[in-house]
Amino acid sequence: MTPAELFFDLVFVFVITQVTHAVETHPGWEGLLKGLFPMVVVWWMFSGFGWLTNAVRPDAVPVRLLLTLAMMGFFIMGLDVPYAFEPEGWAFPLAYLAVVAIHGLLYLTADAPSARQAILRNMPFNAAAGVLVLVAPHLPDAWGWVCWVAAVLILYLSPFLGRIRGFVIEPHHFVERHALLLLVALGESVVAIGIGAESSESHAVDAPLALGVALGVAVATGVWWVYFDGDEARAEAEFEKAAARRRQMLAYYAFTGAHLVMIIGVVLIAAGITDAIHHLGAHTNRWWLGCGTATFLTGHAIYRGLLGSGRIADRLVGALCAVPLGIAASVAGWVGMTVVVVILATVATIDHSLALRGTVTGIDGDTAAD
């Protein structure tokens, strides 16, 4: 992982912040989907740059310049997330199409001929999704939604339609890059604590606010601990064992796919933290914290299950408990955050304790050494 890649990934924090804000300000299914659909499209290309830097080192000056242009495109997309479904939101699809062009151009400089051929097979699907998103706001609402759904399906089915073989996958870099992307996304849950602490009337930190901030940090720490507790080393070891064809499919399912599920969970958790601190002693949104925690834990269970890198039962049990307990705990913000902290701490502690005893097992029953 190079400093250029880490710097590039920082723009993703802004995208996640914009999506979280869009979800918060328009609660309900329509607001949720209007926030998540643009993020799903952005994530596809952002993850694509993780695949790209497996094949093209970002050391040369022309590569860095093009990556800077791509950063500008992603930032513009982030700015336009709230307007992506509106005719005036034309900058979102145009910036997306510019990023697709930059991504394809950089891939064509790869040393591996198979990588160049692979991007030529898949680039038309990336561009077609951008055209659908560009057209969608100018159609009747129902057809606009059809265009967005079609765009997402084209992107996420394109590995099969365009054949995924040929892409260069280097396990260590790939695991590290996606882990750091998730860490960057987790930055939004920390930002959410500060946003939640803001109020219409500025005042010094008092006891209730201190409690809310402490619980928010505990929630963010729980999410971090569940993922970053030895998983990277085990995932890399399993990834390394896979044959080339299986490695490409694991890259798609476990990283592009399962990480998207986890990031959606982080967005909902961040929205829930902000809401909970704003309404520390009052009723909060019934769904955000519980459903966000369940989504994150389910995504991590999928990730582990695909790679065979650790236990998944405790994550699935935690996910099943999180939704009803989250709904029950929505009577007050501090109660909701406390429940989520307990769930995440229980999952992380059980897993950590078993790992220390050398009995962390995958879904196939094999022992996975730390």
Side-chain angles (χ1 to χ4, degrees), residues 10-23 34-43 45-46 69-85 89-97 99 133 148 188:
L10 292 178
V11 75
F12 195 56
V13 176
F14 177 68
V15 175
I16 296 295
T17 299
Q18 287 289 90
V19 172
T20 304
H21 181 68
V23 171
K34 283 188 174 180
L36 292 184
F37 266 114
M39 192 200 73
V40 168
V41 170
V42 171
W43 168 252
M45 287 311 302
F46 221 96
L69 288 175
M71 284 181 68
M72 296 174 188
F74 280 116
F75 203 92
I76 290 169
M77 281 189 274
L79 280 172
D80 234 21
V81 161
Y83 311 101
F85 280 74
W90 52 266
F92 181 93
L94 290 184
Y96 170 83
L97 288 169
V99 167
V133 172
W148 274 95
E188 170 53 24

Side-chain angles (χ1 to χ4, degrees), residues 45 47 164 219 320 322 342:
M45 287 311 302
S47 177
I164 200 172
V219 172
L320 287 172
V342 170

Side-chain angles (χ1 to χ4, degrees), residues 274-340:
T274 301
D275 184 52
I277 296 177
H278 271 148
H279 306 96
L280 200 62
H283 279 273
T284 59
N285 187 287
R286 302 176 64 202
W287 305 104
W288 286 340
L289 271 175
C291 289
T293 303
T295 302
F296 177 82
L297 290 173
T298 300
H300 196 238
I302 294 169
Y303 170 69
R304 278 191 161 191
L306 289 166
L307 288 167
S309 60
R311 291 169 52 89
I312 67 170
D314 42 19
R315 281 148 178 78
L316 293 177
V317 171
L320 287 172
C321 294
V323 177
L325 289 177
I327 293 171
S330 63
V331 293
W334 71 269
V335 178
M337 287 192 288
T338 300
V339 166
V340 168

Side-chain angles (χ1 to χ4, degrees), residues 222-242:
V223 175
W224 166 80
W225 192 356
V226 166
Y227 185 97
F228 292 94
D229 193 27
D231 258 24
E232 308 99 289
R234 293 191 295 270
E236 184 182 333
E238 296 300 322
F239 208 18
E240 189 75 55
K241 295 175 187 175

Side-chain angles (χ1 to χ4, degrees), residues 41-75:
V41 170
V42 171
W43 168 252
W44 175 262
M45 287 311 302
F46 221 96
S47 177
F49 276 84
W51 289 60
L52 167 71
T53 49
N54 267 253
V56 179
R57 291 280 298 175
D59 299 326
V61 171
V63 174
R64 289 188 173 186
L65 291 175
L66 286 171
L67 286 176
T68 301
L69 288 175
M71 284 181 68
M72 296 174 188
F74 280 116
F75 203 92

